[in-house]
Amino acid sequence: MATTTGKDKDYYAALGVKKTASAEDIRKAFRKLARKYHPDVNPDKSAEEKFKAISEANDVLSDPKKRKIYDQLGFYSDNIDPATAEAYARGGGGAAGFGGPGPGPTHVYTQEVPFDFGGFDFSEMGEGAGRRTGGGGFRDIFSGIFGGGRGAEAMQERPEPGTDLEYQVNVGFWDAIKGTVMKLSVPHLEVCGNCHGKGYIESPGVCPECKGKGQITQKSGSMKFNMPCPRCGGSGKNRAVCHVCHGEGRVERAESLEVRIKPGTRDGQRIRLAGRGNAGTMGAPAGDLYIIVRAGEHPVFRRDGDDIYLTVPVSFAEAGLGGKIEVPTIDGRALLKIPPGTQSGQKLRLRDKGVPSAVTEGKRGDEIVEVKIVPPNVRDEKSKEILRELGKLNPEDPREAIWKQV
């Protein structure tokens, strides 16, 4: 059960700090007093009560939200939300509006009276409730007391916009580059056609539970509570929960869609389809559907954004003497110029041979070719002699730079 603390109690005085004390000041004050009054240190019975008091004070003042409510009302309760407390304080109601100590000469409460809720079955108070308009129970009863009289309002369903959906699709390497149209079946929540999103079916006459009054009375011993009728939501009309959506106002259906994947769509790109997400409640707008594209890979080409990367083997002679070689591109074959003295691992660029941009029309990426020199497989003596002669004509040490750095 939620607790109400601090009526007629000065938490600041309990910790020995001013109302303007910082969070650090409160923390230090509590630690100092806790070392003095902790039952493990001080066996005195009065010390135990003192420790409980400073612990309660620290629990409220060390929490910014609880402290704000306490400062505004003069006491703290778990059932009071910050917005309501601020509204009462702004209107001059103070804690008295909540049955706590107010600024006037008299107090509504002069002492805390413990109440035993044992044997009071709160779960039965919401039976027969349809949808979220008829929750009932302990929380709804006390929302009228501690929620600034908002009990009836809390029972009323409010329109809520539909949530957005994400749906992931796998697209092949070539489909992402060239573009395609995909047929999808996407499950989502749509407005119930039987009740038109209301969650209930209305019939002639009045509500059989509250007899058209819109309120019912709950009893427990000498206590009575008036609360909005859980069956009709406080309307007093004859309503029955929709048997199709079971009071939700929405049903799950799979919608068939055709989604166009533009040429050049990248991996991870999101395609937004406005209004194709989950339906809202009570006529509120639907959310959006986001298609997340997962582009496939290729055994030769590697894509990075709109650029294409690949590694091409080059012979010893082609790298040394230079020349033109054919390389694969996403459009077919293309000629690549190999400069004389090209090194293994060197990257050469073919401009506008990459992927068409899905964002900027007419723009394309590049193809980046990494050269991999393949040494000759020498078997005959003549080839070996030629390589020896080549070595004599070019005696440079390829490891010279490494030795200098060492």
Side-chain angles (χ1 to χ4, degrees), residues 324-378:
K324 291 184 178 180
I325 64 171
E326 276 191 335
V327 295
T329 71
I330 60 173
D331 297 321
R333 298 178 178 229
L335 285 176
L336 175 66
K337 183 180 179 181
I338 305 294
T342 295
Q343 303 296 310
S344 189
Q346 188 171 334
K347 293 181 175 64
L348 305 175
R349 185 181 297 269
L350 284 171
R351 296 200 176 275
D352 298 327
K353 290 296 183 181
V355 180
S357 173
V359 179
T360 307
E361 188 175 351
K363 185 180 179 181
R364 291 190 67 162
D366 300 330
E367 178 167 295
I368 315 298
V369 179
E370 182 178 344
V371 173
K372 179 182 179 182
I373 298 177
V374 180
N377 189 7
V378 180

Side-chain angles (χ1 to χ4, degrees), residues 92-349:
F98 294 92
T106 60
H107 294 172
V108 175
Y109 288 118
T110 56
Q111 62 179 345
E112 294 187 37
V113 181
F115 184 80
D116 183 13
F117 286 93
F120 189 18
D121 188 4
F122 292 100
S123 63
E124 295 179 356
M125 299 179 67
E127 287 185 359
R131 210 176 177 187
R132 281 171 293 177
T133 58
F138 177 77
R139 183 179 299 275
D140 289 331
I141 293 171
F142 282 92
S143 66
I145 301 173
F146 293 104
R150 295 182 295 120
E153 181 184 348
M155 298 291 288
Q156 301 298 323
E157 180 72 11
R158 295 182 179 182
E160 293 182 6
T163 54
D164 295 337
L165 290 178
E166 290 185 347
Y167 191 81
Q168 184 171 299
V169 295
N170 296 318
V171 180
F173 178 84
W174 290 111
D175 285 338
I177 290 176
K178 305 293 184 181
T180 187
V181 175
M182 302 188 71
K183 293 184 178 181
L184 306 175
S185 180
V186 181
H188 73 144
L189 294 175
E190 64 180 40
V191 175
C192 175
N194 188 52
C195 65
H196 306 291
K198 294 184 291 186
Y200 58 84
I201 303 296
E202 200 165 291
S203 304
V206 297
C207 174
E209 187 164 340
C210 66
K211 311 303 181 190
K213 296 178 180 179
Q215 286 191 336
I216 61 172
T217 301
Q218 293 288 345
K219 293 182 179 180
S220 178
S222 60
M223 294 185 67
K224 291 184 179 181
F225 299 102
N226 287 330
M227 58 182 292
C229 175
R231 180 185 177 92
C232 66
S235 68
K237 297 179 180 180
N238 187 14
R239 294 176 176 177
V241 175
C242 174
H243 69 278
V244 176
C245 65
H246 305 290
E248 285 297 317
R250 300 177 297 177
V251 291
E252 184 170 328
R253 296 273 165 78
E255 182 180 10
S256 296
L257 299 172
E258 283 194 354
V259 180
R260 179 174 173 260
I261 306 297
K262 295 174 64 176
T265 298
R266 299 183 181 185
D267 180 62
Q269 190 166 331
R270 290 156 60 93
I271 302 173
R272 176 175 174 261
L273 300 178
R276 295 300 185 95
N278 286 328
T281 61
M282 299 183 66
D288 298 332
L289 172 63
Y290 291 89
I291 305 295
I292 302 176
V293 176
R294 291 301 174 199
E297 297 180 348
H298 192 274
V300 175
F301 300 113
R302 181 175 63 85
R303 184 178 173 185
D304 185 3
D306 292 336
D307 292 332
I308 292 291
Y309 290 78
L310 78 155
T311 301
V312 174
V314 174
S315 70
F316 180 77
E318 289 170 335
L321 300 175
K324 291 184 178 180
I325 64 171
E326 276 191 335
V327 295
T329 71
I330 60 173
D331 297 321
R333 298 178 178 229
L335 285 176
L336 175 66
K337 183 180 179 181
I338 305 294
T342 295
Q343 303 296 310
S344 189
Q346 188 171 334
K347 293 181 175 64
L348 305 175
R349 185 181 297 269

